Amino acid sequence: MAMRKLGRLERRWSYASWTAPSHYNLLMGLMPHTSPTHVFASEYYKRDFLKFNERLGCAGIAFKSLVPRLYLPPFLKDTLGYSTHAMVSLPVLNPKTPLNSGFDSFRLMDRHNDMRAMVRAMKFQKEKPSFYLLNVGETHYPYALPDEPEEDWPRIHGVHGVFKHLDDAVAGGKLKGKRGKFFDDRQLSDLRQRQIRAVKYLDTVFEEMFDLLPKNTYVTVTADHGELFGEDGYFGHGPIVHQKVLEVPFIEGKLR
Ligand SMILES: [Zn+2]
């Protein structure tokens, strides 16, 4: 797998159960956490921040470096001289949201599921290091690859416009009893397989991206929270309290 070239695959935990707060947290510089016991949160944050010295090849970066804005992009841009860019797939992260602060460019992509289009749009400056946030959407419902025609996206039995009606079938993330049959076990398993397929596909796009990146580049690729496929009656993510909605894979490292 291309992603594994970066390092060890870790099971970690997102700070939030859906896209917007999860990204806010990531852009504060806090990566998905390890849920350690017997540690004060402030200690954990401090230690987590020290890793930015290694990530960025710097010395002297600490949590207090981000005070008072507590936001990574303006720190990278104004203090470390990075050119800072975001390309996002999901409309809840669009450039008009408060997340867009301290970026030289911030773009909502035309399609929600095309990381390859982002990779092709990446630009680098020789004289400046670059930071890129890439929020990928292939792993989001309906877990569709970019070449998959919309009419082949999974549809719920007898219902047209799956996005419109998803809320009817799922209340507070929990499948509604009387319509629980909207997602039977086989459909849930198919949806899960689709998400796995999306991750495998994305791995090939990572390979392409790795070939393009100049040395002085820091990239964060996010898909930002867990997803439930019927565990304890839940589907998706968002207004859900369940371990699985926070469970995420995490890999970081340097390309050699
Ligand atoms: Zn998300």
Side-chain angles (χ1 to χ4, degrees), residues 54 90 148 180 188 194 214:
E54 202 182 314
L90 297 170
E148 187 178 11
L188 286 163
R194 287 175 61 83

Side-chain angles (χ1 to χ4, degrees), residues 229-240:
F229 294 96
E231 294 92 337
D232 297 311
Y234 290 102
F235 173 74
H237 57 272
I240 292 174

Side-chain angles (χ1 to χ4, degrees), residues 18-19 90 140 223-225 237:
W18 72 287
T19 310
L90 297 170
H140 257 261
D224 68 275
H225 46 71
H237 57 272

Side-chain angles (χ1 to χ4, degrees), residues 100-213:
N100 181 7
S101 173
F103 283 100
D104 291 312
S105 75
F106 196 112
R107 178 174 165 200
L108 175 65
M109 303 304 285
D110 298 334
R111 299 204 296 159
H112 86 278
N113 61 340
D114 195 357
M115 180 185 173
R116 182 170 279 127
M118 296 178 182
V119 170
R120 290 189 175 148
M122 289 173 106
K123 299 256 185 319
F124 308 98
Q125 287 170 272
K126 269 214 181 85
E127 65 281 9
K128 268 183 157 193
S130 306
F131 165 65
Y132 271 95
L133 167 75
L134 304 181
N135 155 250
V136 300
E138 281 91 335
T139 51
H140 257 261
Y141 188 82
Y143 327 106
L145 304 190
D147 62 356
E148 187 178 11
E150 225 172 290
E151 59 267 24
D152 293 348
W153 291 0
R155 286 193 193 253
I156 297 165
H157 228 59
V159 177
H160 302 288
V162 84
F163 287 109
K164 264 180 245 149
H165 295 276
L166 190 61
D167 289 348
D168 297 343
V170 181
K174 195 131 192 164
L175 295 173
K176 277 184 189 170
K178 67 180 163 73
R179 302 179 105 169
K181 63 175 193 254
F182 265 10
F183 290 109
D184 60 32
D185 287 352
R186 229 201 74 209
Q187 284 169 312
L188 286 163
S189 153
D190 286 350
L191 290 168
R192 187 166 172 271
Q193 288 308 318
R194 287 175 61 83
Q195 197 192 43
I196 292 168
R197 185 187 65 155
V199 175
K200 285 185 178 159
Y201 160 77
L202 285 172
D203 199 60
T204 66
V205 186
F206 269 75
E207 188 84 62
E208 290 169 29
M209 181 178 72
F210 288 166
D211 291 341
L212 289 177
L213 298 179

